[in-house]
Amino acid sequence: MSAGTEGIVPDVSRLHPAGGRRSTKRERILGVFLKHEGHLSADDLVALIHREDARISRATVYRTLQWMVDAGVARKVDFGEGRFRFEHSYRHPRHFHLICKSCNRSSEFLSSDIEGLIEEIAAARGFAARQSVLQIYGTCEECRSGKSPRPEPSTSEMVFARDAIRIAIATERSGLEFYSRAARATKNVRGRRVFQKLADEERDHLSTLEARYRRLLDQDPELESRPTFLFFKGAANGLFAAGADEISQGVDDRQALKIGIRCERMSHQFFKRYGSRFEDSEGKQIFLEFADEERRHLDMLLREYIILTKRGTGAKGKKKAGGGRREARGTA
């Protein structure tokens, strides 16, 4: 359990059955469940509960587990063992599993490509999906190679936060490169100032994110070596990487703004879309904070594009009017 979540439990008072009374036993079972990472069977939880209070019956634990699933605090997963296991859903993102059939250990991951494919298929069939479950069975690296198993991560939330910060850092680096190139390429003084301002902001945000990343690593010295949890192919090299390449090929001021608008809109939609799906966690907060920042940058670029477009239209209008007057004088 990470330092940031130690002792934190959700407010489930509103989830008590209608007319039901507050249950001390239920809250004790909930507290024990949330303190343990990984995937617990009902029998595992009974054993943990009995270490603290042997008077709590097995039936009470079973009923509470189902209550936690209904309340959205726990998820029920099937690893093909002939019994269900339960994992946290409070402050833990929805995810998929790799399950080793040799050692029965599982590892977790989340992929935007898989989620996108599920949504595409559901939409094509007119299907309203409520939950997606993906279990991939096979043999883990340790069992295939004979290596010692890696120690389990301190919390999946910390690995999630680490990957969220990594994606944000990659985006900031690509954004800094894009706006730096745009500032050098644009000839319009006002536009150059806007691009330079955005480059300076990206540099500041990058510094803040890198410090945040270091603080996270301080909580778990092994965190950097944990397997990747978040797989976002399009964001791996930064969401502005393609835009930076376009700028370097030579564009005019208006094109530079249009590329920046496209990149900022894509970045805002990416972080907003996935941040809104995650359960409450530091990773979710990172994504939503970033979505807000990208929205602000997008608005700034849109305003500048409108000003530049109006200025260009006005200049053309004046030139045309002047030419008309010269033609009129020549005719006279």
Side-chain angles (χ1 to χ4, degrees), residues 4 7 15 41 74 93 97 99 108 124 126-127 138 152 179 217 270 272 302 310 315 328 332:
L15 301 171
S41 68
H97 294 95
I99 303 163
E108 303 169 347
F127 186 77
E152 292 297 322
Y179 287 119
L217 295 183
F270 172 84
K272 184 72 172 179
L302 285 169
K310 286 181 177 179

Side-chain angles (χ1 to χ4, degrees), residues 254 309-322:
R254 187 175 299 184
T309 301
K310 286 181 177 179
R311 186 179 299 161
T313 302
K316 289 178 182 178
K318 290 178 182 177
K319 184 176 181 181
K320 185 175 181 180

Side-chain angles (χ1 to χ4, degrees), residues 281-316:
S281 61
E282 185 175 357
K284 177 187 181 77
Q285 190 62 34
I286 291 166
F287 266 51
L288 292 182
E289 287 174 6
F290 218 76
D292 289 343
E293 192 62 39
E294 301 298 74
R295 176 75 251 186
R296 191 174 66 79
H297 286 180
L298 175 59
D299 290 342
M300 187 184 303
L301 289 172
L302 285 169
R303 285 194 300 270
E304 191 60 29
Y305 183 78
I306 290 170
I307 290 170
L308 182 62
T309 301
K310 286 181 177 179
R311 186 179 299 161
T313 302
K316 289 178 182 178

Side-chain angles (χ1 to χ4, degrees), residues 52-76:
E52 297 193 9
D53 189 343
R55 296 171 298 175
I56 298 178
S57 69
R58 183 179 298 270
T60 299
V61 174
Y62 287 178
R63 285 196 301 272
T64 301
L65 270 172
Q66 187 57 53
W67 170 76
M68 286 191 289
V69 171
D70 294 340
V73 176
R75 297 189 198 91
K76 185 186 291 188

Side-chain angles (χ1 to χ4, degrees), residues 82-93:
R83 60 176 177 173
F84 287 110
R85 290 184 176 272
F86 299 84
E87 63 181 5
H88 302 185
S89 58
Y90 175 69
R91 296 183 67 85
H92 285 59

Side-chain angles (χ1 to χ4, degrees), residues 4-265:
T5 58
E6 184 71 43
I8 297 177
V9 296
D11 178 13
V12 293
S13 58
R14 60 183 177 81
L15 301 171
H16 293 310
R21 296 178 298 175
R22 179 175 177 175
S23 170
T24 303
K25 290 181 180 179
R26 182 193 294 127
E27 291 178 359
R28 181 173 295 178
I29 294 168
L30 174 63
V32 170
F33 177 74
L34 292 177
K35 287 178 182 176
H36 286 79
E37 294 295 325
H39 307 90
L40 297 174
S41 68
D43 291 339
D44 291 336
L45 185 56
V46 168
L48 291 170
I49 293 297
H50 283 175
R51 292 179 191 173
E52 297 193 9
D53 189 343
R55 296 171 298 175
I56 298 178
S57 69
R58 183 179 298 270
T60 299
V61 174
Y62 287 178
R63 285 196 301 272
T64 301
L65 270 172
Q66 187 57 53
W67 170 76
M68 286 191 289
V69 171
D70 294 340
V73 176
R75 297 189 198 91
K76 185 186 291 188
V77 293
D78 183 0
F79 289 164
E81 304 170 296
R83 60 176 177 173
F84 287 110
R85 290 184 176 272
F86 299 84
E87 63 181 5
H88 302 185
S89 58
Y90 175 69
R91 296 183 67 85
H92 285 59
R94 182 184 66 257
H95 52 263
F96 308 119
H97 294 95
L98 296 169
I99 303 163
C100 179
K101 297 300 288 182
S102 296
C103 63
N104 293 322
R105 290 186 299 115
S106 67
S107 60
E108 303 169 347
F109 72 96
L110 177 61
S111 166
S112 61
D113 297 313
I114 291 175
E115 290 217 328
L117 182 59
I118 290 172
E119 290 176 359
E120 181 183 337
I121 294 171
R125 300 291 181 88
F127 186 77
R130 290 195 304 270
Q131 181 182 13
S132 56
V133 177
L134 175 64
Q135 321 280 34
I136 301 176
Y137 298 92
T139 308
C140 68
E141 180 185 2
E142 289 78 12
C143 287
R144 286 189 293 104
S145 64
K147 295 179 181 178
S148 299
R150 294 180 181 180
E152 292 297 322
S154 53
T155 66
S156 58
E157 183 186 348
M158 287 183 67
V159 176
F160 175 35
R162 178 205 66 184
D163 289 356
I165 295 177
R166 283 178 175 176
I167 291 171
I169 286 174
T171 300
E172 290 288 24
R173 284 176 177 163
S174 65
L176 174 58
E177 181 64 22
F178 171 81
Y179 287 119
S180 297
R181 290 185 185 182
R184 292 193 297 267
T186 189
K187 297 178 176 60
N188 178 267
V189 175
R190 180 187 171 95
R192 189 182 306 120
R193 283 200 301 266
V194 170
F195 284 134
Q196 189 58 56
K197 175 180 172 60
L198 288 169
D200 292 341
E201 288 192 9
E202 298 285 56
R203 189 176 291 106
D204 290 343
H205 295 160
L206 178 59
S207 177
T208 299
L209 282 168
E210 288 174 339
R212 191 171 185 175
Y213 188 74
R214 289 192 295 271
R215 289 195 300 272
L216 192 65
L217 295 183
D218 287 341
Q219 298 180 47
D220 178 5
E222 301 294 327
L223 185 60
E224 189 124 54
S225 63
R226 309 292 185 193
T228 301
F229 175 77
L230 289 176
F231 289 88
F232 290 111
K233 188 183 298 181
N237 298 317
L239 295 170
F240 289 77
D245 290 341
E246 287 183 65
I247 286 286
S248 64
Q249 294 172 10
V251 295
D252 62 28
D253 296 356
R254 187 175 299 184
Q255 289 172 324
L257 284 167
K258 287 178 72 173
I259 294 170
I261 288 168
R262 187 190 71 217
C263 291
E264 287 289 0
R265 181 176 285 122

